[in-house]
Amino acid sequence: ETGVTQSPTHLIKTRGQQVTLRCSSQSGHNTVSWYQQALGQGPQFIFQYYREEENGRGNFPPRFSGLQFPNYSSELNVNALELDDSALYLCASSLAGSGGLDTQYFGPGTRLTVL
Amino acid sequence: KQEVTQIPAALSVPEGENLVLNCSFTDSAIYNLQWFRQDPGKGLTSLLLIQSSQREQTSGRLNASLDKSSGRSTLYIAASQPGDSATYLCAVPMEYGNKLVFGAGTILRVKS
């Protein structure tokens, strides 16, 4: 059983650029959630995808968008990067509909630095 | 709106001590509560998940309790070791579907 993987590990961009982060969910999981974790804070929910459809969104602007593919892997896209977008971006996968026993499994994260 | 608070923000203890980390949440209508561990710059590792119908869960030296009515959970770590040094986060779902609301975490340092 493979765990959740994310790429790239680290990324440096400049203000105004666009970035795509990738996540492969754990085998058998159909739900992917994305979180942003600023330094010294807990993760903040960005959005969730379930079977290729967005299934809830946190308080993030539309320049944060995502996709989920038929194999349940996912992308997070951020347009018009701002300095405050610098953070650790975490992807988590789970199996929806497992009767509340839907433990989330997190990937190692992508560290994004915006200069 | 669900809010999660963790106390203390940081804790430093000598090796071998038993310790308690606290988590409180404002909306008691939760399905479950999850405790995570995070090493510096790394992802989150799930430690324990307590269903709303349960009062506690145990895994090795870790014991987590849940009191929904008072909006509180505690994580008890027995006989702490330097390898336990990490940030501990608790989280509850916003709604069914496991969109988690996290506390800011407790940074634990266990000194040898």
Side-chain angles (χ1 to χ4, degrees):
Chain A
E1 178 181 278
T2 57
V4 179
T5 60
Q6 292 186 245
S7 63
T9 305
H10 296 89
L11 203 51
I12 299 174
K13 292 285 188 178
T14 56
R15 222 166 29 164
Q17 284 190 311
Q18 178 266 344
V19 69
T20 297
L21 309 182
R22 294 178 175 84
C23 170
S24 291
S25 58
Q26 183 160 316
S27 177
H29 285 181
N30 55 18
T31 302
V32 172
S33 303
W34 286 91
Y35 295 83
Q36 180 196 65
Q37 186 177 24
L39 203 60
Q41 298 181 21
Q44 300 287 317
F45 174 72
I46 303 174
F47 44 56
Q48 183 182 87
Y49 279 84
Y50 170 64
R51 293 185 176 179
E52 303 178 58
E53 297 285 333
E54 187 178 288
N55 182 41
R57 186 179 184 91
N59 190 26
F60 280 81
R63 60 190 184 84
F64 285 78
S65 63
L67 283 172
Q68 188 179 32
F69 300 100
N71 67 354
Y72 301 133
S73 65
S74 178
E75 287 182 354
L76 164 64
N77 299 289
V78 187
N79 294 321
L81 284 167
E82 300 177 359
L83 297 179
D84 285 348
D85 296 334
S86 296
L88 181 68
Y89 287 84
L90 296 164
C91 164
S93 76
S94 59
L95 179 61
S98 52
L101 299 175
D102 41 353
T103 301
Q104 293 217 338
Y105 295 89
F106 281 78
T110 293
R111 171 71 63 187
L112 173 64
T113 301
V114 182
L115 302 176
Chain B
K1 177 189 170 187
Q2 180 73 271
E3 294 182 0
V4 179
T5 303
Q6 291 188 245
I7 295 173
L11 187 60
S12 182
V13 300
E15 182 176 6
E17 273 206 6
N18 302 322
L19 55 99
V20 174
L21 308 182
N22 297 291
C23 171
S24 62
F25 45 94
T26 53
D27 185 347
S28 62
I30 61 170
Y31 291 95
N32 57 54
L33 182 143
Q34 202 163 353
W35 282 93
F36 294 89
R37 168 186 172 137
Q38 185 175 32
D39 293 295
K42 304 294 185 183
L44 278 60
T45 300
S46 178
L47 298 173
L48 292 163
L49 183 147
I50 312 175
Q51 298 298 331
S52 60
S53 58
Q54 298 174 317
R55 291 195 64 84
E56 63 179 75
Q57 277 280 3
T58 298
S59 176
R61 295 182 294 107
L62 305 179
N63 176 277
S65 67
L66 175 63
D67 183 345
K68 276 185 59 177
S69 60
S70 67
R72 292 179 184 176
S73 176
T74 61
L75 179 66
Y76 176 83
I77 303 177
S80 59
Q81 302 171 358
D84 294 331
S85 298
T87 297
Y88 291 80
L89 296 151
C90 71
V92 295
M94 291 181 200
E95 57 191 72
Y96 193 77
N98 226 358
K99 301 149 191 149
L100 299 178
V101 179
F102 283 86
T106 294
I107 302 171
L108 173 64
R109 181 185 171 210
V110 181
K111 299 171 288 187
S112 57

